[in-house]
Amino acid sequence: MTKRVAGTIINPEDAGTSFLVKQVEGQFKFYNFPVLANQTPLSSILWKLRHEVGIDVDQLRLYDSVVAQSGQENISLFVFNHLKIDATIREACRQQGLVFVPARKLHGLFESVKVNTIPSFENLSK
């Protein structure tokens, strides 16, 4: 079985917190993919965000990290804060099919990912 990693970036705003996600067949999913060869899950997500999405990962701060179950598979899920989400970052994400979506629209996503402990980002979705 291929080990997978997922990641998101939270963006707290006056209107509420949004999360970086991908929309697949009408459903929101965390940005996820197989762990890269000879890399850890964390280094894989950082590499993809830097080299494929185009985000300056030096501006990311790890907010939370959990092992979650999505369907029958365990995935490492990393949640980051970014020091400044601007139009350039939003456009780089959009080109990779990633968008920032308000937490209030992501209840189905949060419910579909099961963790052994309550992740701290779950409180932000209310």
Side-chain angles (χ1 to χ4, degrees):
M1 180 188 291
T2 303
K3 192 174 184 181
R4 295 186 68 81
V5 62
T8 188
I9 299 172
I10 59 174
N11 184 27
E13 299 176 297
D14 292 337
T17 301
S18 60
F19 288 77
L20 182 67
V21 295
K22 187 170 204 125
Q23 190 168 12
V24 179
E25 298 175 3
Q27 295 183 352
F28 293 114
K29 304 219 180 261
F30 288 117
Y31 179 48
N32 73 89
F33 49 86
V35 172
L36 301 175
N38 301 314
Q39 290 195 29
T40 66
L42 179 58
S43 64
S44 294
I45 193 76
L46 291 173
W47 191 93
K48 288 269 200 169
L49 288 171
R50 178 185 302 266
H51 296 285
E52 290 187 5
V53 179
I55 292 176
D56 179 2
V57 297
D58 293 336
Q59 299 300 307
L60 294 177
R61 301 298 178 260
L62 186 60
Y63 180 81
D64 202 355
S65 169
V66 295
V67 173
Q69 186 175 18
S70 179
Q72 297 299 317
E73 118 183 284
N74 288 333
I75 58 172
S76 297
L77 172 60
F78 296 95
V79 181
F80 299 97
N81 279 336
H82 192 284
L83 296 180
K84 184 179 178 190
I85 304 294
D86 59 17
T88 304
I89 291 172
R90 288 179 188 278
E91 179 58 22
C93 292
R94 189 194 63 72
Q95 289 182 14
Q96 294 298 315
L98 302 168
V99 292
F100 285 91
V101 175
R104 67 183 175 280
K105 295 183 178 181
L106 297 174
H107 290 293
L109 172 61
F110 295 142
E111 292 170 0
S112 72
V113 177
K114 295 172 182 41
V115 295
N116 290 334
T117 60
I118 297 172
S120 55
F121 64 76
E122 191 170 276
N123 295 327
L124 295 172
S125 70
K126 297 179 179 168

